[in-house]
Amino acid sequence: MDADREQDRLARLSMETQAFYDRQAMAYDAGRPKDLFEINWLRRAVADAPTGGAVLDIGCGAGEPIAAWLVAQGFEVTGCDFSQSMLDLFAKRLPQARAICADMRDLSLDQQFEAIIDWGAFFHLTRAEQRHALPQIARHLIPGGRLLLTVGPGEGEVTGHVGGEEVFHASLSLPEYTDLLAQAGAEVEEFVPNDPDCRGFTVLLARRPKL
């Protein structure tokens, strides 16, 4: 019975993510580290993208530090978030970037990208939502394009805390991520669980092979 109650609690929490970020936008942005500890992974994700190439930042939040760095590198950046409060901050901060209010759970943009960054957002989806969303996201890559995701070190559901509030996290296993990406013609290049050089984030880098 306790396990059932916990599952019910996690299910309810998973449905509150959008409202959480709308409510916590200013506080989250203020507390979000902006020292680019993600830089080595970001460089790998855009290694083959030409200057001026199109890059999609899913779960872009308020735009710093990731989208701001991408803009500074000369990429044509599209920021995508389902929190309008976050997106308003993004648009004000980075007027030279494109801002789209959209939900990654059913992403359908009329464009493909040289690289897609989904840092600190994808793991808020439930496992069922991830299974549905990942192939759709990967299909937005051009051949040769890379997808950078933060996930969990193994399959399961946990919670984290931001701004004093609890938030939902989930992950699939690496074999399942590999299979889902294959559905979209993409391959896992590297998977590092709890990366000690990236503040313990679990990072997955995938690529659609060139034609």
Side-chain angles (χ1 to χ4, degrees), residues 149-182:
L149 288 174
T150 47
V151 294
E155 183 171 5
E157 295 178 337
V158 297
T159 60
H161 289 83
V162 178
E165 292 194 61
E166 196 171 27
V167 290
F168 176 85
H169 291 180
S171 183
L172 305 176
S173 66
L174 177 58
E176 188 164 10
Y177 283 131
T178 301
D179 289 344
L180 289 167
L181 287 162

XYZ file of all heavy atoms in Angstrom, residues 149-182:
245
model
N 21.524 15.051 -24.193
C 20.472 14.881 -23.188
C 21.074 14.673 -21.806
O 22.126 14.037 -21.676
C 19.636 13.624 -23.469
C 18.661 13.542 -24.620
C 18.112 12.120 -24.691
C 17.529 14.543 -24.440
N 20.387 15.169 -20.781
C 20.667 14.731 -19.422
C 19.549 13.784 -19.005
O 18.368 14.093 -19.154
C 20.763 15.913 -18.443
O 19.659 16.798 -18.638
C 22.054 16.682 -18.651
N 19.943 12.627 -18.506
C 18.995 11.588 -18.101
C 19.422 11.074 -16.725
O 20.120 11.761 -15.995
C 18.958 10.451 -19.152
C 18.374 10.966 -20.471
C 20.344 9.856 -19.405
N 18.996 9.878 -16.381
C 19.413 9.274 -15.127
C 20.403 8.154 -15.371
O 20.525 7.655 -16.489
N 21.116 7.705 -14.340
C 22.111 6.644 -14.516
C 21.504 5.276 -14.772
O 22.175 4.362 -15.233
C 22.893 6.671 -13.198
C 21.935 7.248 -12.203
C 21.104 8.242 -12.972
N 20.215 5.132 -14.478
C 19.511 3.871 -14.700
C 18.019 4.110 -14.659
O 17.559 5.207 -14.328
N 17.247 3.087 -14.998
C 15.805 3.258 -15.044
C 15.230 3.458 -13.646
O 15.621 2.782 -12.690
C 15.126 2.058 -15.699
C 13.623 2.233 -15.824
C 12.956 1.152 -16.655
O 13.646 0.201 -17.059
O 11.737 1.265 -16.882
N 14.287 4.401 -13.531
C 13.629 4.619 -12.263
C 13.011 5.999 -12.162
O 13.096 6.798 -13.092
N 12.381 6.250 -11.038
C 11.760 7.539 -10.747
C 12.275 8.039 -9.406
O 12.352 7.291 -8.440
C 10.235 7.412 -10.681
C 9.581 7.025 -12.000
C 8.074 6.867 -11.862
O 7.603 6.625 -10.726
O 7.376 6.980 -12.874
N 12.645 9.317 -9.361
C 13.121 9.933 -8.131
C 12.562 11.351 -8.080
O 11.846 11.777 -8.980
C 14.670 9.967 -8.052
C 15.244 8.564 -8.031
C 15.247 10.755 -9.229
N 12.908 12.063 -7.048
C 12.537 13.478 -6.965
C 13.768 14.301 -6.640
O 14.749 13.811 -6.088
C 11.454 13.730 -5.886
O 11.957 13.320 -4.611
C 10.171 12.966 -6.210
N 13.705 15.564 -7.032
C 14.723 16.527 -6.677
C 14.061 17.734 -6.058
O 12.838 17.768 -5.883
N 14.855 18.732 -5.740
C 14.319 19.945 -5.134
C 14.899 21.174 -5.828
O 16.091 21.235 -6.089
C 14.646 20.004 -3.637
C 13.882 19.008 -2.827
N 14.286 17.685 -2.688
C 12.715 19.131 -2.136
C 13.416 17.045 -1.926
N 12.472 17.893 -1.580
N 14.041 22.103 -6.143
C 14.431 23.385 -6.711
C 13.620 24.469 -6.017
O 12.399 24.373 -5.919
C 14.179 23.441 -8.231
C 14.558 24.818 -8.778
C 14.964 22.364 -8.965
N 14.293 25.482 -5.525
C 13.588 26.574 -4.873
C 12.733 26.143 -3.702
O 11.695 26.728 -3.427
N 13.161 25.076 -3.009
C 12.416 24.593 -1.858
C 11.222 23.734 -2.209
O 10.510 23.277 -1.313
N 10.998 23.495 -3.509
C 9.878 22.658 -3.940
C 10.398 21.362 -4.539
O 11.472 21.311 -5.143
C 9.012 23.381 -4.962
C 8.248 24.572 -4.414
C 7.167 25.036 -5.369
O 6.251 24.245 -5.673
O 7.261 26.189 -5.833
N 9.605 20.329 -4.407
C 9.965 19.021 -4.936
C 9.579 18.930 -6.410
O 8.514 19.390 -6.814
C 9.233 17.937 -4.133
C 9.785 16.545 -4.317
C 9.165 15.557 -3.341
O 8.024 15.785 -2.900
O 9.823 14.544 -3.035
N 10.459 18.337 -7.206
C 10.192 18.156 -8.634
C 10.422 16.696 -9.009
O 11.228 15.994 -8.393
C 11.059 19.072 -9.511
C 10.635 20.523 -9.369
C 12.540 18.918 -9.199
N 9.739 16.269 -10.049
C 9.770 14.882 -10.512
C 10.915 14.658 -11.501
O 11.156 15.485 -12.375
C 8.424 14.562 -11.183
C 8.353 13.190 -11.797
C 8.006 12.087 -11.033
C 8.620 13.006 -13.148
C 7.942 10.825 -11.604
C 8.548 11.745 -13.731
C 8.209 10.652 -12.956
N 11.596 13.513 -11.353
C 12.621 13.087 -12.302
C 12.377 11.615 -12.648
O 11.956 10.836 -11.786
C 14.028 13.177 -11.706
C 14.512 14.551 -11.461
N 15.762 14.813 -10.926
C 13.959 15.770 -11.674
C 15.955 16.110 -10.816
N 14.869 16.719 -11.251
N 12.669 11.239 -13.888
C 12.579 9.834 -14.282
C 13.616 9.536 -15.343
O 14.136 10.437 -16.009
C 11.185 9.493 -14.804
N 13.912 8.256 -15.507
C 14.865 7.842 -16.532
C 14.525 6.439 -17.008
O 13.941 5.629 -16.278
C 16.300 7.858 -15.974
O 17.237 7.514 -16.983
N 14.917 6.172 -18.240
C 14.904 4.829 -18.789
C 16.307 4.249 -18.669
O 17.237 4.919 -18.228
C 14.461 4.862 -20.253
C 13.122 5.537 -20.541
C 12.864 5.585 -22.044
C 11.984 4.825 -19.827
N 16.478 3.010 -19.078
C 17.803 2.397 -19.094
C 18.538 2.788 -20.375
O 17.919 3.175 -21.375
C 17.675 0.878 -19.032
O 17.061 0.389 -20.229
N 19.840 2.663 -20.376
C 20.619 2.957 -21.580
C 20.199 2.069 -22.756
O 20.049 2.582 -23.876
C 22.111 2.813 -21.297
C 23.025 3.030 -22.516
C 22.830 4.409 -23.133
C 24.483 2.797 -22.121
N 19.988 0.763 -22.578
C 19.545 -0.039 -23.721
C 18.231 0.459 -24.319
O 18.066 0.438 -25.546
C 19.403 -1.451 -23.136
C 20.383 -1.478 -22.006
C 20.317 -0.099 -21.412
N 17.314 0.915 -23.472
C 16.051 1.408 -24.019
C 16.252 2.741 -24.737
O 15.669 2.964 -25.812
C 14.990 1.544 -22.929
C 13.628 1.874 -23.525
C 12.465 1.659 -22.584
O 12.674 1.426 -21.371
O 11.317 1.737 -23.068
N 17.060 3.637 -24.176
C 17.356 4.877 -24.893
C 17.991 4.565 -26.253
O 17.681 5.201 -27.261
C 18.305 5.759 -24.077
C 17.654 6.508 -22.941
C 18.203 6.502 -21.666
C 16.480 7.241 -23.143
C 17.613 7.198 -20.623
C 15.882 7.935 -22.104
C 16.447 7.903 -20.845
O 15.865 8.595 -19.812
N 18.882 3.596 -26.276
C 19.549 3.219 -27.526
C 18.533 2.742 -28.557
O 18.591 3.131 -29.733
C 20.594 2.123 -27.256
O 21.553 2.612 -26.304
C 21.308 1.720 -28.526
N 17.586 1.914 -28.130
C 16.557 1.412 -29.041
C 15.643 2.536 -29.535
O 15.288 2.586 -30.718
C 15.715 0.339 -28.342
C 16.486 -0.960 -28.122
O 17.549 -1.144 -28.763
O 16.041 -1.784 -27.304
N 15.252 3.431 -28.647
C 14.365 4.532 -29.031
C 15.044 5.472 -30.026
O 14.424 5.930 -30.994
C 13.938 5.316 -27.785
C 12.958 4.605 -26.856
C 12.873 5.331 -25.515
C 11.578 4.501 -27.485
N 16.299 5.758 -29.792
C 17.029 6.617 -30.721
C 17.178 5.952 -32.080
O 17.089 6.601 -33.127
C 18.397 6.972 -30.141
C 18.355 7.986 -28.991
C 19.649 7.958 -28.199
C 18.082 9.383 -29.520
N 17.362 4.644 -32.079
C 17.486 3.912 -33.337
C 16.224 4.037 -34.181
O 16.292 4.021 -35.415
C 17.801 2.443 -33.064
